[in-house]
Structures are given as structure tokens and as C-alpha cells.
Amino acid sequence: MTDGQRNISLPVLPLKNTVLFPHLVLPLVVGRPSSLAAVEAALKSEDKTLVLVAQKDPSVDDPQPDGLYTVGTQAVIKKMDRAEGQVQLVVQGAQRLELVSVALEDGLLRAQVRPIPDPQDTGPEVEALQRLVLEQATKIHALVQPQTPISVEQFLSQFSDPLHQVYLLGSMLSLDLEKEQALLEAATRVTALRLMHEYLTHEVQVLELRQEIANEARTEMSREQREYLLRQQMQAIQQELGEQSPEQAEAAELRRRFEEADLPESVRKEAARDLTRLERMPPAAPDYQLTRTYLELVLELPWSKSTEDILDLARARQVLDEDHYGLKEIKERILEHLAVLKLNPKAKAPILCFVGPPGVGKTSLGKSIGRALGRTFERISLGGLHDESELRGHRRTYIGAMPGRIIQAIRRAGVNNPLLMLDEVDKLGQGFHGDPAAALLEVLDPAQNFEFRDNYLNMAFDLSRVFFVTTANTLDTIPRPLLDRMELLRLAGYTGEEKFEIARRYLIPRQLSEAGLTAEQLNITDVAVEQVIARYTREAGVRQLERALGRLTRKVAVRFAEGQSAAVTVEPDDLKELLGPEKFFPEAARAKLPPGVSTGLAWTETGGEVLYVEALLLPDGKGLTLTGQLGEVMRESAQAAHSYVWSRAGELDVAESKFKDFGLHVHVPAGAVPKDGPSAGVAMVTALVSLYTGLPVRRDTAMTGEITLSGLVLPVGGIKEKVLGARRAGVSRIILPKQNEQDLAEVPAEARGELEFVFAQRVDDAWAAAIPQLAERLAEAEAA
Amino acid sequence: MRDSSSRRTPSWFLPASQAFHQAGFSPPVDIYRLARGWLLKFDLAGVRPQDVEVVIRGCHVTVRGVRRDWMIEEGVASYSMEIAYNSFARTIDLPCDVDVAEVQTEFRDGMLLVRLELQRSDA
């Protein structure tokens, strides 16, 4: 019971984000302690009345009196129930109240309130606004719930007072708190109706916009559906007409090839699955192209297609001889393998490794073997390859995945038993993506490679019938396990005679044809060719030689192009004009060697070389100085030589003081090239003996061999290269370790015939042979 | 949900029955026909007689008042509430061929009985 004029005190329940309009019902859940206290206080009253008022800031949990609006609603609790510490209420608004003052008492807010009577203003404006509001509300109703049977007019008719109708609408719209509060505070009907009209108009606009957007989306959707339907129809029509889309034709072609292909059972099963998948796949699917490419690879691979080997030894020998001059030993080894294959066709093809300096014909030898055997030749260059997946492929899940180089080469070859040349196997890189050398291990192991699994292909492919040939310039960088699997064949380099023959038989005809000249137009005399070999090139192979001959023929070609018609004969004297000044001089440059200098022999990747060991005594110096980029082993070898010569000082008739009072400097030119290895030991000892005795070393004599502190001469490697290198350098006499005598068999006979060899067992033999005056002196001493 | 109120979901146009026409509740009523008049029985349990007002205007009978909860003694706390309190009002429209001559009201067992003696208008 309220008395309209007197202030009364009521508990206050603050509302978050909403207001309660008079006459309307609101379900609430109350949890905040102060709110609970207010509800309890109201329940304790006879009339269950309290004030509901919105708090200004909805985020505040414990609102203070000044955080509340001053206009609220008197409300009666209609129902109450408790659950889990919260109180569920149904409250009904009674009338608007002005909160005269609010205070916190006993943990709850209490307000002195004064009722605000409902405004009673009437007139045409109220009526007009009322109709407008009804109009807009009807619009909204039509936009939101077009199919509800009840009309807005009927719905609003439950209230006769226009203000109450506004309250009803206000509770339906999801308005901001500020707008709701403004509606509640409206002092006249006109104000309330105007506000409501404004809100409704805004709402209509938003809803219309929403509908527009939804409609757009709908039309977009139906366009796509239309296209889809049309496509379906097109397909149906095509089928009816017996036509095929390009994609279907593609799939059908694959299917045809698949049926015809001669595939192993396991591969057929696997491929059939992929093919079925492809046929069901729409061509636009991202997997379509991937699957197609994959299937093409599978179908193209020569699973069971191979060539018949031609195992005719006479023919093979003829082919090898046609393509390559010399290289007798290599050819013999190759023929041996062919013979084995002939006698035992099931024998595993050997894995050959050609080792030798550049330009000696390793790659072309591989081609020749292929030709001799009648096998398809394919080449993979491994130089600089540093990713395992380059060899073994990427998994199909990667974008842009491809099979590895091995499988690609097999596909190119088109047969499963080609001759596969793995070039530059010594130049395999090491990356962080796995070790390619390790992948090669599997490829080159006959025990594993009959089921080589490429990551992309993901099926086992039999590589066991492939004839592998690898090439390398040096063995040092090839991993041991890999080296282990290969049969090494060394190509040491060519002698001048061999080069001459190669030039005559292959290089000159090739260069002539490349320059567009005939043999009649250009004749290079034998002497001129020898001069080009000796004075313009210095190499183990024949690449420089071929380039020089190429330059020569081009220069001559220019003359013919300019109108000359007479044939040209190139004499040695013409070379300066055609090739420029001579680049190399015969090594006899050192006409006479001073005491303390000896000629050593070195092995390099490009063949044998001559190098000099120079020693010098330093008055007032101390110790041993070594220069010339010498490696650890070579330095030790020099120290051993020094120590040994010192120990023999008496026999050599050298004053002890020479060792004690003088420093020793040993230098090995050329100073910029790193050198290492024990094989210069003999040359060092000889140089030192020559230095201390003051007797010069024979200049036509070169030497090689490792020494021990007890004076033994140990064998060294690379004898063939060293001998050929010495011969190129114009040396006529070579001192070799006794144990290397049998290696001379490798050296071509014509070279052997020109050279004189001395075999040393002990260091004494070496210096006796190298220093004639010392030999005489020692002989005299012995005689005496 | 630690919230004083849950915000109304924007559901438009509830069924009319759910909206209340006026503040307060309206008590149920039984109407009896008498030989010479009407008997109205209002369910007003718990309402004190002095809190009820009966107004008869023409042929409209209005009963209104307040139901107060008198269980508000010390040591008693409301745990759940379903009975409606506070103001109520109910208006009954009777056939308008009569004039009311005499009205008697009586409270019996929580029911308000309103007896209307009619007088024939032709009298």
C-alpha cells in the first residue's frame, strides 16, 4: 500500500544493463550479497515491495548510492525460489519512483522514494505519434517474424494507455541501457512516444540492412548452385553424346595405358588404387594433378623393359678401341667384366669407378662401354649435390615433389638395365638435409638395390640390373663405405705420344668439322702437333690440347671465310701467329743445379709433376726452417732427412760443425701450392747431402721415395703419373724405390724405353746415383 | 550467474497471456446464480477483511485490496514464494438487466462472499 504523497523507504535492488518498466514482468537471478540482502528485506515485508533501479556502470559489482540512476521502478515480488546460493525472482513493475535519497544500511541499499504519477497528456500529437509507432512496430514485426499469426495492433491492445504500450515495446527491443532509462524517465507521453519512434526507426533501418545482406548472400549461393547444376547437366549431355571432357579423356587414357602396361603385381595393385581415386576425383581438386603426374611416372617407368646385352667381346674391343686410344689396361679390365657377364648372365653387373685427372676421358669411356654392351647410356652429375632427397626424391605430400635423380634417369633411359654414369662422385656435397653419399650406398649395394625405394614413387624398383659407372678425380673425398662398393680403375693420364695419337685420330677431325673445314683445307704437320702438345699445354688429359687445336682451326677458318682458297699447312713456325707465344718451356730450364738442390716427383690430381727441393745453410743460424706450404708429413720427412744426414756426417766427410753452427733452410717451390706426403724423402736427403758435401746433383735425374731414419727407401704411390710427369718435364733418369719396380709395368713402353731407371733400396743407393762426384769420392775412399 | 538480472533476450511479441494487464494479481472467483440475485465467491485467502474494498458501479462489481504477508515474525525467513501478495483487483460484469438493491459481504474460511439482492427494474 503506497501513499502517493508521502516519502517511503524501500530496499533497493540495483539492475545491471536493464530497467524494469511499470506493469511488466521480469524474471531475475540475484546473487550479489547486497542485492540478496535487499531481496530478503523485501520478503520480510508484508507487501513484498522493493525498488528496482539501473546502475550507471554495469561492470561495477558493488554499486554505491551515487552509482545509481535516480528514477527507478517500484516492484512486487511475485515468485521466489532459491537455488545454489542464488535467488530466482519474478518481479512485476508497479509504478515509477523517484529516488530522493539512497543510503547503505545494514549491508543493503535503502532509498527514500517518491512515486512519479503517470503523465496524462493527450491531444492530436499523442495520437499521431501513437500511430507512427504502431506503423514502425508493424514493419519490424514483418521483418523479423513474418509468419506469426498475432498482429502488433492486437498485441498492443492489452494496454490502453499509450505510455504502457511504449513500455511494452521498450521491453521487447534490445535497447541500450541509456535508451531504456531515457524511456523510463520520460515525463510526458509525447516524449516517450517520440523516443520510441526514434528507436523503432533505427531498428527498422538495421533490420532492412540485415535483410539486404542476407539476400545478397543468398543470390551468391544460388548462382554457384546454378553453375553446379549446369555442369552436371553438361556432363550428362556429354555422356549421352558419347563425348568426353578433356579431364575424363585424360583419365581414360591413363586407364588404357594402365591396362596395357606390363607392371609387376604389387605395382599394379598400388597404381590401380590411385587410378580409381583419380577417376572419381573432380579435375579441380588440388590432388588431381599430383595424382596424374604420379601415375604417369609409374606407367612410364620401365618395370620390366630391358635391352638385350651384346656380349660379343671382339665387337666390344673394337668399339672401345674406336673411341679411345691407349688405356690398354682399362680396356682389358672392362673386357674381363664383359666376359664374366657372357659366361654367367646372372652375374651382378660390376660397379666401376674411374679415377683420374680431368680430361682423360672418363665420361666418354663410360659411353663407350654402354655402346660396346648395347646398353642405354644415362648420366647423372653428382657434383655439388648436397641433398639426399635429390637422389631419393621427396615424399608425395610435399608441394612440387619429384622423384629423385636415379628414378628420373631410369625413366629417361626407358629400360631397367641402362648404363648409369654417376659423374663426379668425389664432389658430393654435405648438406643438412641428410647425406647424399649415404643414399648412394643403398643404390650401389647389390644386396639392397634390387628394391630401391624412391620417396616419391614409394614402391620398390629393381636397380640390380643397372650397370653403374662412377667417376672421380680423387679418392680422398669419397666416403670409405662408398669406395668399398666400387671397383677402382685408374686413368693416369696420357703420354705425349698418346696425346699425339689422340689429337690425330679424334681431336683434329672433330675440331675441323666444328670449324666447318675439311682435312684437305687444313693440314697440321706432325711436328706442329707435337709442339702444341709440348709448348702450349701442360696437363694429364687432353682438354687444353683440344681447346688449343680448336683455336688453331678457328683462326684458319677465319682466313677461309675471308676468301682464301688455297689449302693451309700449319708448320711449327706458324704456331706463334695462330696461338700466341709459347706458354710452357721444357723443364730443362735449369741447366745446372747448384749444390743443395734436387729434383723430386710429385703426384697431383692433374697428373705427375716435377718439383725441386732447395736447401741452404745459414751462417750463425740455428735449427731447421721449412717453407713452401709443406704439410705435416712432408715437414716430418724433412726433419728425418736432416737427422739422418747428420748421423752419417762422418762417412760423408762433412765437418760436424756444419750441422752445429749453421742453420738449415729447406724450401720447396712453387711456394703458393700446398704440398704434402712422404714421397719427397729421397729428394730431401739427396738435396741435403749435396748441400753439406758441396757436390751438385745430376740435373737430368729426378727421384721419389719415402725414407726411414735407418736409411731405408720405402715404396710410394702414383708411380705411373710421376714417371709420365717427369718425362714431360724433360727428365731422363729416375730414381725409384726398389719395391716400386713392378709398378713400371703400368708405364707405357715407349716412355719406359726413353727413360733410365735406378732402383734404390737404401738412401745410399739414391745419393750415389744422383751425385756422381760423391759416388767417385766414396769409391776412392773405399779403395783406399 | 552473479548478476542482479539477466538481460531480456530480444524475443518479440510474447503470447498475450504472458503479459500482465495491470500491476497486481487478480484473484479467482466463482459466480453462483440465486433465486433473486447473484453470489460471488472470491478466493482471498490470507487477506484481512479491512484490506478489501468492494465497489459496485452499475452492473460492474470490483473487488480490490492488498494481501499482506503476516508471516514476518522474527526467526522466520522466506525460503520459497508462490502466493501472490500486494495489491489485487478483480472486476465482474453482471448482466445489466437488474439494479442492485442490497449487498452483503461476508468472510468465510478465506473466501470473500459478495451477495447481491436484485430488485426487478419493473418494480
Side-chain angles (χ1 to χ4, degrees), chain A residues 395-500:
Chain A
R395 292 196 166 278
R396 245 206 299 169
T397 45
Y398 284 102
I399 291 185
M402 281 200 307
R405 299 257 186 118
I406 303 277
I407 289 295
Q408 281 179 20
I410 298 283
R411 180 194 204 173
R412 275 200 306 275
V415 289
N416 64 6
N417 63 341
L419 188 145
L420 198 55
M421 173 154 254
L422 307 172
D423 246 343
E424 321 277 13
V425 75
D426 56 328
K427 293 177 188 61
L428 269 179
Q430 278 270 13
F432 50 92
H433 282 302
D435 185 355
L440 263 193
L441 286 183
E442 185 193 349
V443 173
L444 296 183
D445 186 347
Q448 296 179 44
N449 68 7
F450 63 90
E451 49 178 18
F452 172 70
R453 223 167 241 280
D454 185 275
N455 283 333
Y456 178 80
L457 189 60
N458 205 17
M459 299 178 194
F461 191 89
D462 183 1
L463 293 178
S464 64
R465 303 190 58 204
V466 176
F467 193 139
F468 285 102
V469 176
T470 65
T471 75
N473 291 133
T474 171
L475 299 178
D476 301 343
T477 52
I478 304 179
R480 291 296 313 173
L482 193 53
L483 203 54
D484 216 38
R485 285 168 165 70
M486 304 187 289
E487 166 115 31
L488 296 182
L489 295 180
R490 286 177 190 275
L491 286 82
Y494 296 108
T495 62
E497 288 75 22
E498 285 171 333
K499 285 185 189 173
F500 178 81

Side-chain angles (χ1 to χ4, degrees), chain A residues 14 16-17 25 28-29 32 44 46-49 77 80 82 86 92 155 158 171 173-175, chain B residues 1-5 7-8 10 12-14 19-22 48 68-69 72 76 78-79 81 86:
Chain A
K16 280 181 177 180
N17 259 334
V25 173
L28 283 178
V29 177
R32 295 189 283 191
K44 276 218 184 298
E46 284 184 337
D47 50 7
K48 316 292 181 200
T49 305
I77 301 173
M80 187 275 288
R82 295 172 195 263
Q86 294 183 331
Q92 186 176 28
F155 176 73
Q158 54 184 304
S171 72
L173 291 167
S174 11
L175 294 175
Chain B
M1 188 170 74
R2 289 185 60 79
D3 200 346
S4 289
S5 71
R7 191 173 165 80
R8 280 182 300 269
W12 266 85
F13 302 108
L14 297 157
F20 288 76
H21 294 242
Q22 267 134 16
R48 285 187 284 216
R68 302 169 196 273
D69 185 8
I72 49 172
V76 177
S78 180
Y79 184 77
M81 193 182 94
N86 213 307

